[in-house]
Amino acid sequence: MAGAILIISGPSGSGKSSLCHEMFKRVDNYYFSISSTTRAMRDREVNGIDYYFIEKSEFIRDIECGYFLEWAEVHGNFYGTSLKPVLNAIENNKLVIFDIDVQGHQSIKEKFPNITTSVFITTPTISELKQRLQKRNTDSDNIINNRIINAYSEMKNISKYDYLLINNDFDTSLNNLISIATVAKLKTSLFDVNDILKNWKDLSF
Ligand code: 5GP
């Protein structure tokens, strides 16, 4: 048995982060990949927990040093996944969970095709997304409009994901997400089948 990867994507405001926080209370042996970003910190966010908030110059230096497993520009800011902690968590048989955009999904899936499971989370409609972003009250109207426009292009990538959650009801989505996290660790490609066959055949046969 080796480590596995669960990628969670979807528009900001779809409820991804709240679902992840609840899921973390109910899933064992996971590692959540904390990304670095050049985006400004929102109220209630904590540096080193939600993200590592860094300057653009530092981000560019990190790209040049090969610090990132993948990075992307999303909504005009840079976001990147650190390489070493992820490799370390995979080696330690953890379920590595990423909250990354569609570009990051593509890149991780290409690098780790056999151990990756992915889920796209969204709202039932674009107006519901807008309402949630407005209610959250963390971003200006300009930022919200930009995120809404980008959400539609992100949605066009749904078919590249293994699972889709339309987050209409929080508890239902949470239960479904926990189920997906559970099956992500049961993919046959994670197991050494030869080893299993060897151990399965006992001496009497
Ligand atoms: P937010 O600014 O709302 O926290 O995140 C904006 C978008 O960036 C979300 O879709 C989120 O999944 C994505 N994101 C966060 N971290 C990373 C990362 O390390 N890599 C990539 N490719 N996307 C990320």
Side-chain angles (χ1 to χ4, degrees):
M1 179 67 196
I5 288 175
L6 175 62
I7 299 178
I8 301 172
S9 302
S12 319
S14 60
K16 265 180 320 177
S17 308
S18 312
L19 286 167
C20 281
H21 283 121
E22 279 308 309
M23 173 180 66
F24 295 157
K25 296 179 192 162
R26 318 235 204 126
V27 172
D28 293 331
N29 205 27
Y30 75 88
Y31 168 78
F32 178 65
S33 165
I34 302 172
S35 302
S36 300
T37 184
T38 60
R39 149 161 97 58
M41 189 159 54
R42 295 181 187 133
D43 286 351
R44 276 177 273 137
E45 281 185 327
V46 180
N47 191 21
I49 292 191
D50 297 289
Y51 283 107
Y52 297 109
F53 293 93
I54 61 175
E55 294 296 321
K56 197 168 169 184
S57 53
E58 194 182 340
F59 197 98
I60 289 166
R61 232 182 7 251
D62 285 347
I63 297 174
E64 287 164 359
C65 294
Y67 179 78
F68 294 124
L69 173 58
E70 64 77 40
W71 64 271
E73 191 175 348
V74 191
H75 314 310
N77 297 302
F78 290 106
Y79 296 83
T81 304
S82 333
L83 174 66
K84 276 194 189 149
V86 168
L87 293 182
N88 197 28
I90 293 173
E91 243 171 59
N92 284 302
N93 296 344
K94 303 245 186 240
L95 176 67
V96 186
I97 301 175
F98 296 91
D99 171 350
I100 53 176
D101 85 322
V102 295
Q103 305 168 74
H105 165 248
Q106 192 62 34
S107 162
I108 302 275
K109 208 168 71 163
E110 276 163 20
K111 287 180 177 128
F112 301 99
N114 294 332
I115 65 169
T116 299
T117 298
S118 60
V119 52
F120 193 94
I121 303 181
T122 188
T123 52
T125 60
I126 200 163
S127 23
E128 171 79 25
L129 183 70
K130 190 168 187 178
Q131 271 174 28
R132 287 193 199 172
L133 285 172
Q134 285 168 334
K135 214 165 128 197
R136 193 164 83 175
N137 205 18
T138 52
D139 299 302
S140 68
D141 284 352
N142 262 353
I143 292 182
I144 290 180
N145 287 338
N146 182 245
R147 283 174 179 249
I148 299 277
I149 294 164
N150 292 344
Y152 192 63
S153 1
E154 286 180 82
M155 293 279 290
K156 292 185 189 147
N157 291 276
I158 283 177
S159 57
K160 297 179 186 158
Y161 286 75
D162 297 315
Y163 299 100
L164 170 64
L165 286 185
I166 298 186
N167 183 17
N168 214 356
D169 174 74
F170 188 85
D171 290 340
T172 309
S173 300
L174 178 62
N175 284 333
N176 286 335
L177 186 59
I178 292 167
S179 302
I180 294 166
T182 306
V183 295
K185 292 189 278 185
L186 298 175
K187 281 170 91 81
T188 45
S189 51
L190 295 172
F191 294 87
D192 181 340
V193 177
N194 286 333
D195 206 40
I196 288 171
L197 285 174
K198 213 166 68 196
N199 290 324
W200 187 76
K201 225 168 45 164
D202 59 38
L203 288 176
S204 51
F205 280 91

